[in-house]
Amino acid sequence: MKRKETREEAVKIAYSMDINKYLDMEFTDMYIEHFELKDIDLEYLNKTVKDMLDHLDIIDKHIKDNSKDWKISRIAKVDLAILRISLSEILYNDTIPNSVSINEAVEISKKYSNEDSHKYINGILGTVVRDINIWAIIYSVSIQVHILHQLQL
């Protein structure tokens, strides 16, 4: 199974976890066994779901902070699952370019969600990535200023 299909399974797992209120890695194992998933990228799947679970508060804060006047509980469960998996990749997996994570999230939303969801998902993820990039630049500049200050002493 290609990474794209495995990513879709990760979204389905995140969705099922949310619906069943069972946020535990054990659920992933049961899901894989139940649906007899054979050719999946197990390493990617486990890392992505585990990162999502381990950092759910941070991931959800990014979603809340960028969803104008929308509470997490009002976001469609499918969209929420897509956002959580994509943000898990963006924030905690350096091997996947952010543009790939965003593009795949948009494609999954076109397949599984309503016709306008892909715009919302693209907007949220794009804003998070821009914010991350801005903070990275600020951090880099502050380090350079600190080093220059130390050299002058």
Side-chain angles (χ1 to χ4, degrees):
M1 188 179 286
K2 294 180 185 174
R3 173 70 57 89
K4 182 176 185 152
E5 288 83 13
T6 302
R7 185 178 282 109
E8 284 186 25
E9 293 301 330
V11 168
K12 291 175 187 177
I13 289 169
Y15 174 83
S16 298
M17 283 179 168
D18 194 29
I19 294 295
N20 291 298
K21 308 276 187 257
Y22 191 4
L23 302 172
D24 192 283
M25 279 305 291
E26 183 182 342
F27 187 90
T28 303
D29 297 331
M30 292 185 312
Y31 180 94
I32 292 167
E33 185 178 327
H34 177 78
F35 289 104
E36 299 177 358
L37 301 178
K38 303 277 187 231
D39 298 323
I40 61 170
D41 183 345
L42 194 57
E43 183 179 336
Y44 160 81
L45 182 71
N46 283 327
K47 177 183 178 11
T48 303
V49 174
K50 184 171 181 355
D51 287 342
M52 180 196 73
L53 292 172
D54 289 348
H55 305 285
L56 193 59
D57 290 342
I58 293 167
I59 290 169
D60 282 356
K61 182 167 179 8
H62 280 289
I63 296 168
K64 277 188 263 182
D65 289 351
N66 292 288
S67 296
K68 296 175 182 144
D69 302 323
W70 281 79
K71 295 180 182 178
I72 290 280
S73 61
R74 290 194 61 211
I75 298 171
K77 297 293 186 188
V78 172
D79 295 345
L80 185 58
I82 294 168
L83 287 166
R84 285 174 169 170
I85 291 299
S86 186
L87 285 171
S88 176
E89 290 180 351
I90 290 167
L91 298 171
Y92 305 106
N93 192 334
D94 294 335
T95 66
I96 302 170
N98 292 340
S99 59
V100 171
S101 293
I102 293 171
N103 185 56
E104 291 295 324
V106 167
E107 292 305 312
I108 291 170
S109 72
K110 286 179 181 178
K111 184 174 180 178
Y112 292 103
S113 196
N114 72 46
E115 65 183 57
D116 288 331
S117 286
H118 68 280
K119 295 173 190 173
Y120 168 75
I121 287 170
N122 187 54
I124 296 290
L125 297 176
T127 302
V128 170
V129 168
R130 279 189 295 281
D131 289 350
I132 290 168
N133 291 340
I134 289 169
W135 283 110
I137 290 167
I138 291 169
Y139 179 75
S140 175
V141 168
S142 68
I143 294 287
Q144 292 171 11
V145 168
H146 178 75
I147 290 170
L148 287 173
H149 179 72
Q150 292 298 320
L151 290 173
Q152 290 176 354
L153 295 178

